[in-house]
Structures are given as structure tokens and as C-alpha cells.
Amino acid sequence: MIRLATKRDLNTIVRIANKTIEVMNAEGSNQWDDTYPTGDHFTEDIKHSSLFIYENAGTVLGFISADQNLANEYDNLKWNLPNDQCGTFHRLTVDADHRNSNIASMLITFVEEYFKELGLSGMKIDTYSINEKAERLFTRLGYQKVGEYYMEERTLPFFGFEKRL
């Protein structure tokens, strides 16, 4: 089941995110750290009704934040779809004990359907270039890479992807 997250879910969400950061770091990815994502990010997501969780038998197994807040860095990419007609997602996370269970795909598909119902025609997303698992997932789900951009605090590029809904 996928539903909106509530304040009651916050501790579980932060615990899953922290465990994910440990796993990502152990795999050689520094995309996330102790400054991102934090409980404050998730609190804001909950406040804006943009954080959705996947749960099974009452246990939170993953989550995704969905909105139309495109990163300023996206302005440096050559997109095919107009910004005002696109949604995006952030902080896609699956509990480390439940990876490779198709939960990430289900969360992304849910967000795509959610935005289609809102009348949007596309998705724009990104990932740090070192996150090859995310790149493979996005490609498998029909996203096309449109380019790369750099952020001050990272040495490697981020890749931008888009998909027509």
C-alpha cells in the first residue's frame, strides 16, 4: 500500500534513511550524508503532503517525495519537456533489508500516475553519476538521460533524466 506519510512515520523514515546512507557509503557513494537527507527534509515533505510511503502489513518499507520543485541546476540541461508540465521526485528510499524487491519501481510508478492525474505530462529527475543502480532503474522505467550538471559540493556530475507520461 502507498499512502501519504504522517508525523507518526517520521522516526521510521529517518531510521530507514540513515541505514540507507550507511549502505550507500559502504558501496562507495557519497550522494547522501549527515547533511542530506535529514529529519528536517522529511518534516517539510510531510508538511507539504509530498512524502509517500510504501508499507506492507503496517511496516514502512520505502518512501518517495514528489513535487514540482525542480532543482535550479536543471536550468543548465537541455530538456525536451517544459518545466511547468513536469513533476519530479526526491529522496527515493527503500529499506536496506528490502532492496531488490521492486518497491522503488512501484513508488516511481505511483508518482508518475499521481502526476498524470494532476494533468502533468512529464517527469524530470536526477541522480549523482556514481549511483549506477539509480541510473539503471531510471533507464529500465523509460527515462532518457538529457545531460549532466555539477554541484559545488560534489566533484562528479549529476545526470538529468526525463520521461513523457
Side-chain angles (χ1 to χ4, degrees):
M1 175 173 120
I2 298 175
R3 64 170 173 81
L4 274 173
T6 68
K7 289 180 184 179
R8 289 187 317 262
D9 300 312
L10 187 59
N11 288 337
T12 302
I13 289 166
V14 169
R15 180 185 51 75
I16 292 171
N18 288 338
K19 192 159 76 169
T20 298
I21 291 168
E22 290 176 17
V23 170
M24 289 173 77
N25 285 251
E27 293 175 345
S29 174
N30 65 344
Q31 181 173 355
W32 288 4
D33 55 27
D34 60 345
T35 65
Y36 181 87
T38 67
D40 291 341
H41 293 109
F42 298 120
T43 299
E44 283 298 306
D45 292 339
I46 291 168
K47 185 167 117 181
H48 293 104
S49 298
S50 62
L51 185 61
F52 297 90
I53 63 169
Y54 176 92
E55 67 180 359
N56 187 8
T59 301
V60 176
L61 301 178
F63 48 87
I64 190 170
S65 176
D67 57 38
Q68 285 188 272
N69 298 326
L70 303 177
N72 293 332
E73 291 81 8
Y74 283 17
D75 294 342
N76 301 321
L77 298 174
K78 293 193 180 228
W79 302 98
N80 296 306
L81 304 169
N83 286 351
D84 65 343
Q85 287 298 307
C86 290
T88 190
F89 62 81
H90 321 273
R91 299 179 275 288
L92 171 64
T93 310
V94 174
D95 186 299
D97 296 333
H98 296 275
R99 291 170 92 187
N100 301 315
S101 59
N102 209 34
I103 294 171
S105 295
M106 288 186 280
L107 285 163
I108 292 171
T109 301
F110 172 85
V111 167
E112 291 171 354
E113 291 301 317
Y114 171 76
F115 282 131
K116 279 190 345 190
E117 287 177 15
L118 293 177
L120 299 182
S121 59
M123 295 287 294
K124 294 183 180 186
I125 58 174
D126 68 87
T127 191
Y128 197 31
S129 58
I130 202 168
N131 192 343
E132 294 173 0
K133 289 178 182 179
E135 289 179 59
R136 285 193 303 271
L137 173 63
F138 299 161
T139 300
R140 184 170 49 83
L141 293 176
Y143 287 80
Q144 303 292 317
K145 190 182 331 182
V146 297
E148 62 185 51
Y149 66 89
Y150 288 84
M151 294 186 74
E152 229 176 83
E153 61 274 7
R154 298 287 188 248
T155 56
L156 297 173
F158 282 75
F159 295 146
F161 294 82
E162 73 180 345
K163 178 180 179 179
R164 185 173 303 279
L165 299 178

